[in-house]
Amino acid sequence: MRKSLIFFLKIGILVAAAVWLAQRPGRVTIEWLDHVAEMPVGIAAILVLLLAWIAATLGRLWRILRGGPGALGRRRNSNRREGGFRALSQGWVAVAAGDADIATKSAKAAEKLLREPSLTLPLAAHAAELRGDAPAAATYYKAMLAKPSTELAARKALLAQAMGKGDRPAALDHARRALELRPKADWPAKALAELEAGGGNWLEADAALVKAQKSKALAKEDAAPRRAALLIEEARQAVSTGRPESALQAAQAAFDLDPARVPAAALLARLLAKAGKHAKAGKVLEQTWRLSPHPDLAKAWGEVSADQNALSLVKRYEGLVALKPGAADAHFALGEAAINAKLWGVARSHLEKTRELAATQRVYRRLADVARAEKGEGPEAHGFLNQAMSAAADPRWRCTSCGTTHGDWHAVCDQCKSVDTITWPKVGR
Ligand SMILES: [Zn+2]
């Protein structure tokens, strides 16, 4: 509409100019050197217009010739980048969908079109991992180490690869460098602690967690139980290498970090008793017993007593039962103390109570002991032994990562090398 209006306006102006010229006849004379040209005004006007048109066309052509090739190149370049980014996004979608073929093809296309390794190497590495080509993935990750923008991601992937292969020195190297690069990330600290713990370097492992906690990479409640686990092992190592002071210090630190932790309390209480601090040892056991009753605590309850007289111990275990009357382990321990003191009636009654709460093999074996002591080798003792064979097994420490059962608690599972995964199953009350 607007265009045609302008067109009619132009025609109108031309017609008006033609009419105006026609009404004013005359001639134009041009003299140039020895030449003289004479023509009517109309023709001269048309010539002027023609010259103007030719000049405008030549000017436009000149501009195209001067800026043309660059503009063309720029356009081709932007098309290539666009294609590269399209390939890149297709590749990441394929990675997310687990399509190794498309991911690999897209990675190659993106690499060719973009020529920006910091953008295309991560995709190429993921595609290689997806098709199960670990060496190729490692090559891409190693190339990523050279770029500051991709180094951390490469360290993370190479750390996982090294840990998977059991290459501890390489894994330590990647974890340490990653922690330097990003002190606020939690995974380098966790990995470093795990690796140091795996090597039995308990204090180094603890230091990694403390550092992570200080830089807020790990929350205190997340770091505390792990640190407690490591410090228990440190205390045990100090005991076995004849450093009682360090042992007591580490055990106390572990207990303070995680008072519900049975191995920490049991070890600390024994170390305190050894140092003559029997009352304090009892207090430690009492605190943890209230949080998590356990056979190891019940055992230590008797061991840390200054008075080892059999009857005194029965009295002491009566105190433990009173602390938490529903705890089967206290009744069982009292039953055993009563057997040692030859108080058969007391023993029988608390073993029966244990049977009500948690009827596992140990109860029947002790009931058989009582029956044998009271009535000799007979049908009652045999009956209990038979029941022991068909009863549920007594609970044991168990690794939540690999399922292996353990006779004692350890910070590192010797089967799967996981850190702080050995727990006590919840049974009875
Ligand atoms: Zn395990």
Side-chain angles (χ1 to χ4, degrees), residues 55-72 74:
T57 309
L58 279 176
R60 211 179 301 142
L61 207 67
W62 170 246
R63 274 200 305 278
I64 288 173
L65 282 177
R66 213 180 45 171
L72 270 179
R74 274 199 296 280

Side-chain angles (χ1 to χ4, degrees), residues 399 402 413 416:
C399 173
C402 70
C413 172
C416 69

Side-chain angles (χ1 to χ4, degrees), residues 93-416:
V93 169
V95 166
D99 190 333
D101 273 355
I102 292 188
T104 304
K105 275 181 199 150
S106 305
K108 274 188 187 145
E111 200 184 334
K112 210 168 132 192
L113 292 168
L114 287 173
R115 293 195 188 123
E116 272 186 50
S118 54
L119 288 178
T120 55
L121 277 171
L123 175 61
H126 274 81
E129 270 196 26
L130 209 54
R131 61 176 190 270
D133 189 349
T139 308
Y140 289 124
Y141 287 131
K142 275 175 191 156
M144 281 164 68
L145 291 179
K147 295 251 173 206
S149 60
T150 51
E151 185 182 350
L152 189 68
R155 294 278 173 200
K156 190 173 187 187
L158 288 169
L159 169 67
Q161 274 198 351
M163 282 175 102
K165 279 193 291 188
D167 184 351
R168 198 168 162 268
L172 270 172
D173 191 40
H174 292 306
R176 283 193 187 122
R177 177 75 185 128
L179 196 60
E180 267 173 41
L181 285 171
R182 195 68 51 86
K184 283 193 185 307
D186 67 341
W187 61 266
K190 279 184 186 168
L192 192 57
E194 201 167 305
L195 288 162
E196 295 286 22
N201 306 323
W202 311 112
L203 288 180
E204 285 83 351
D206 183 50
L209 292 181
V210 171
K211 208 171 155 189
Q213 201 186 311
K214 273 190 187 145
S215 66
K216 306 252 185 302
L218 271 181
K220 195 180 171 198
E221 56 274 19
D222 196 9
R226 284 164 197 260
R227 290 193 56 210
L230 300 169
L231 289 168
I232 296 165
E233 293 291 4
E234 170 58 21
R236 287 177 173 181
Q237 202 172 57
V239 169
S240 64
T241 52
R243 293 177 288 128
E245 281 290 309
S246 310
L248 198 58
Q249 214 178 337
Q252 182 72 56
F255 174 76
D256 292 341
L257 283 164
D258 191 0
R261 178 82 62 148
V262 170
L267 180 58
L268 176 61
R270 287 188 177 108
L271 291 171
L272 285 168
K274 217 171 183 178
K277 297 173 179 167
H278 298 278
K280 201 174 170 199
K283 285 264 178 292
V284 164
L285 291 174
E286 207 179 303
Q287 193 181 334
T288 305
W289 179 262
R290 287 182 197 276
L291 298 168
S292 42
H294 189 278
D296 289 356
L297 294 177
K299 196 157 174 261
W301 184 254
E303 283 176 28
V304 304
S305 168
D307 182 356
Q308 287 294 315
N309 175 280
L311 284 173
S312 308
L313 284 176
V314 171
K315 274 258 164 284
R316 185 171 167 80
Y317 275 107
E318 277 168 356
L320 190 66
V321 167
L323 281 178
K324 223 175 166 67
D329 292 318
H331 288 284
F332 184 74
L334 176 51
E336 285 196 315
I339 290 174
N340 288 339
K342 298 190 166 47
L343 300 174
W344 310 119
V346 177
R348 196 186 279 271
S349 107
H350 284 282
L351 290 173
E352 286 297 348
K353 183 72 189 164
T354 312
R355 179 155 74 159
E356 274 172 37
L357 295 166
T360 57
Q361 292 171 356
R362 62 177 184 171
V363 186
Y364 294 106
R365 281 201 295 269
R366 288 292 165 268
L367 279 168
D369 288 346
V370 174
R372 205 178 295 119
E374 280 188 311
K375 298 165 192 166
E377 213 59 71
E380 197 183 349
H382 278 139
F384 282 132
L385 285 177
N386 281 336
Q387 277 178 289
M389 282 198 282
S390 54
D394 296 311
R396 300 186 78 202
W397 293 103
R398 188 172 176 280
C399 173
T400 52
S401 172
C402 70
T404 307
T405 55
H406 298 265
D408 192 6
W409 178 91
H410 296 284
V412 180
C413 172
D414 58 3
Q415 281 301 305
C416 69

Side-chain angles (χ1 to χ4, degrees), residues 6-69:
I6 290 170
F7 177 74
F8 283 120
L9 203 69
K10 278 179 182 169
I11 295 277
I13 290 168
L14 274 176
V15 169
V19 168
W20 188 80
L21 281 171
Q23 283 169 349
R24 287 163 185 79
R27 300 185 76 80
V28 172
T29 309
I30 297 170
E31 271 185 51
W32 189 49
L33 301 176
D34 294 338
H35 307 278
V36 177
E38 221 185 46
M39 63 196 85
V41 170
I43 299 291
I46 288 169
L47 268 179
V48 166
L49 279 174
L50 201 66
L51 276 173
W53 179 79
I54 288 170
T57 309
L58 279 176
R60 211 179 301 142
L61 207 67
W62 170 246
R63 274 200 305 278
I64 288 173
L65 282 177
R66 213 180 45 171

